[in-house]
Amino acid sequence: MDSILVTGGGVLNGEIPIAGAKNACLTLMPATLLSDEPLTLTNAPRLADIATMTALLRSLGAEVSSLQGGQVLALSSHDVNNLKADYDIVRKMRASILVLGPLLARQGHAVVSLPGGCAIGARPVDLHLKGLEALGAVLELKDGYVHADAPGGLKGATFEFPFVSVGATENILMAATLARGTTVLKNAAREPEIVDLAECLIKMGAQIEGHGTSTITIQGVQSLKGATHPVVTDRIELGTYMLAPAITGGTVELLGGRIDLVAAFCEKLDESGVSVEETQRGLKVSRKNGRLSAVNISTEPFPGFPTDLQAQMMALLCTADGVSVLEENIFENRFMHAPELIRMGANIDVHGGTARVTGVERLRGAPVMATDLRASVSLILAGLAAEGETVVSRVYHLDRGYERVEEKLGACGARIERIKGA
Ligand code: EPZ
């Protein structure tokens, strides 16, 4: 397993290109299952999770070609001949459940392994299943698999999510495009990745309104065409790298960054003393002056503060002046980076879903362990400003969601290198 060695101390100056969104691409790819015509995705990120989704779609008989070094994905499900998504692939990546809705909508049958939990929480899929049942699906859970049937096809319905779920909104939105009649989704997720998916489905001939609001209305159609669609900018990669100059000092321009994707996050950066300037090419980030101030964070569904930036923000607040309170409201176990940051000298007190961070002058480098995707990058951010060397182990977590981290940060002056593991 590889590790990443970070030697802290220097400020960062330069520019970082932001890639296409992992969490948009992971729902856009299964959308190919809704049509027998080709779907081409551009601005695709080159990540381990994309490779896993590629393997899953290929296991179903779909064609996925990776072109231009992985930035373009050419997909076709014309020859889909297997309607079973096996546990050995699904367990690697929970987003695999997103093949269920499209497969069922177009093929009338699907067998998909339950994804199982992950480090940050149990992450059930009950809302995915309830939503599909609302559209007339007949589901049976057997030996760890969801057996889904839609005899006579899915039928439009009104379904209200009891709480916001990004994945369930995506699954039901995709299925509803081919259901007979009208579907109204209430308390739907509003994330930019949902908007991106809806815009791609509309290019494919779907009739969708209200995406980006809490109520999405879909008029089912007989079939969908092919399309070409650019994957939206990754707001989580964007927010992550905005924190690099905030933590070290210096000025970094995030190419392709869009302020509308990270508005709530930018409000907190501003409150803490970080300047964010919109430029022709993206967002320029630097400290306004001197030490940053403590701020309180409460994670919420979009447009609130994103849970996927909570760990990274905690790394920033470890050396801010004062006490910051971070409330993690989306996942039940998303503070695993805290004990690792404490190893670096941070002063953090975790109780349930709340972490109190009392800022210290400086962190000290230490050997630490990545536990999940966003925790891994928060430890790298902490290492950039820590005194001495930080070695982050188990960086396979990192490679799931961040493309070439050491290159992107290294280009701005960070002393960071990958140590090939056994
Ligand atoms: C998506 O996960 C993202 N993943 C996550 O990003 C992100 O943290 C999350 O949305 C919230 O924004 C992808 O898009 C691939 P949810 P998802 O359904 O869809 C519970 C990353 O780091 N829930 O909005 O799984 C669930 O357990 C990843 O890139 C149910 O109880 O999230 C969680 O507590 C991590 N039943 C809450 O709802 C369900 O049927 C929100 O989950 C579905 C979800």
Side-chain angles (χ1 to χ4, degrees):
M1 284 188 270
D2 293 1
S3 300
I4 295 254
L5 166 64
V6 185
T7 306
V11 299
L12 296 188
N13 288 296
E15 51 192 45
I16 295 179
I18 301 301
K22 166 180 84 80
N23 291 348
C25 203
L26 289 176
T27 190
L28 289 165
M29 291 173 75
T32 186
L33 298 168
L34 290 165
S35 163
D36 60 5
E37 294 182 20
L39 173 64
T40 301
L41 299 174
T42 60
N43 193 37
R46 289 161 289 197
L47 301 166
D49 273 8
I50 303 307
T52 304
M53 182 59 81
T54 296
L56 173 59
L57 291 171
R58 285 177 178 163
S59 76
L60 302 175
E63 281 169 47
V64 185
S65 307
S66 177
L67 313 169
Q68 293 178 31
Q71 279 225 302
V72 174
L73 298 173
L75 303 106
S76 165
S77 64
H78 184 270
D79 300 331
V80 162
N81 53 14
N82 169 26
L83 303 183
K84 180 176 181 184
D86 272 345
Y87 175 61
D88 63 341
I89 295 186
V90 174
R91 69 181 170 79
K92 282 189 205 139
M93 186 184 63
R94 301 180 28 69
S96 307
I97 192 75
L98 294 173
V99 304
L100 176 58
L103 267 181
L104 185 60
R106 180 154 154 257
Q107 309 285 350
H109 178 68
V111 180
V112 177
S113 167
L114 284 167
C118 79
I120 64 177
R123 301 188 69 187
V125 291
D126 53 320
L127 297 191
H128 297 244
L129 307 185
K130 287 194 182 95
L132 291 174
E133 285 176 326
L135 298 184
V138 177
L139 306 180
E140 187 191 353
L141 297 189
K142 215 163 56 182
D143 45 317
Y145 284 78
V146 179
H147 295 253
D149 284 288
L154 295 172
K155 197 171 169 323
T158 293
F159 179 72
E160 179 154 5
F161 291 96
F163 48 84
V164 171
S165 161
V166 172
T169 299
E170 290 163 346
N171 232 336
I172 313 314
L173 170 58
M174 287 191 281
T177 59
L178 295 178
R180 273 193 327 283
T182 305
T183 297
V184 179
L185 300 182
K186 294 184 172 180
N187 201 21
R190 299 172 54 190
E191 274 67 6
E193 293 74 35
I194 306 274
V195 173
D196 203 37
L197 172 63
E199 286 172 357
C200 178
L201 293 169
I202 289 166
K203 283 180 190 169
M204 295 169 71
Q207 293 179 22
I208 301 169
E209 289 178 348
H211 41 293
T213 75
S214 301
T215 301
I216 304 177
T217 303
I218 307 105
Q219 301 294 345
V221 293
Q222 278 293 329
S223 63
L224 293 180
K225 313 187 298 293
T228 295
H229 182 76
V231 178
V232 69
T233 302
D234 192 323
R235 62 195 170 97
I236 305 303
E237 187 194 29
L238 171 61
T240 300
Y241 287 125
M242 288 171 75
L243 286 168
I247 284 182
T248 63
T251 301
V252 173
E253 186 169 18
L254 293 312
L255 306 183
R258 284 172 33 195
I259 202 113
D260 64 305
L261 296 173
V262 285
F265 175 68
C266 288
E267 277 170 31
K268 288 299 176 182
L269 288 185
D270 179 56
E271 192 185 324
S272 177
V274 178
S275 151
V276 179
E277 180 200 336
E278 289 186 88
T279 66
Q280 286 298 323
R281 301 199 300 167
L283 300 177
K284 192 173 274 191
V285 178
S286 58
R287 284 186 181 184
K288 289 179 194 167
N289 48 40
R291 194 174 178 194
L292 300 178
S293 307
V295 294
N296 295 331
I297 305 291
S298 184
T299 63
E300 294 167 5
F302 195 87
F305 189 99
T307 175
D308 291 350
L309 285 172
Q310 177 261 110
Q312 300 89 314
M313 193 69 182
M314 186 184 284
L316 178 80
L317 296 172
C318 285
T319 53
D321 185 13
V323 178
S324 305
V325 177
L326 291 89
E327 283 177 3
E328 174 51 63
N329 300 306
I330 307 295
F331 290 107
E332 64 265 32
N333 185 32
R334 204 170 197 177
F335 285 137
M336 287 173 293
H337 41 287
E340 302 304 310
L341 290 167
I342 290 167
R343 289 176 49 74
M344 299 174 71
N347 180 348
I348 307 171
D349 201 15
V350 174
H351 282 289
T354 302
R356 277 173 64 83
V357 180
T358 304
V360 296
E361 281 296 322
R362 192 131 193 239
L363 295 180
R364 291 182 310 282
V368 290
M369 186 177 78
T371 50
D372 60 86
L373 168 57
R374 306 304 176 181
S376 54
V377 79
S378 107
L379 298 173
I380 288 179
L381 291 171
L384 290 174
E387 209 169 290
E389 292 189 344
T390 298
V391 180
V392 182
S393 61
R394 302 193 179 189
V395 289
Y396 58 85
H397 289 293
L398 189 70
D399 296 334
R400 292 189 51 179
Y402 289 92
E403 209 182 274
R404 303 175 294 121
V405 175
E406 56 272 31
E407 276 173 49
K408 292 192 173 187
L409 288 171
C412 294
R415 285 181 289 168
I416 178 171
E417 59 182 293
R418 182 175 290 257
I419 304 166
K420 282 285 170 212

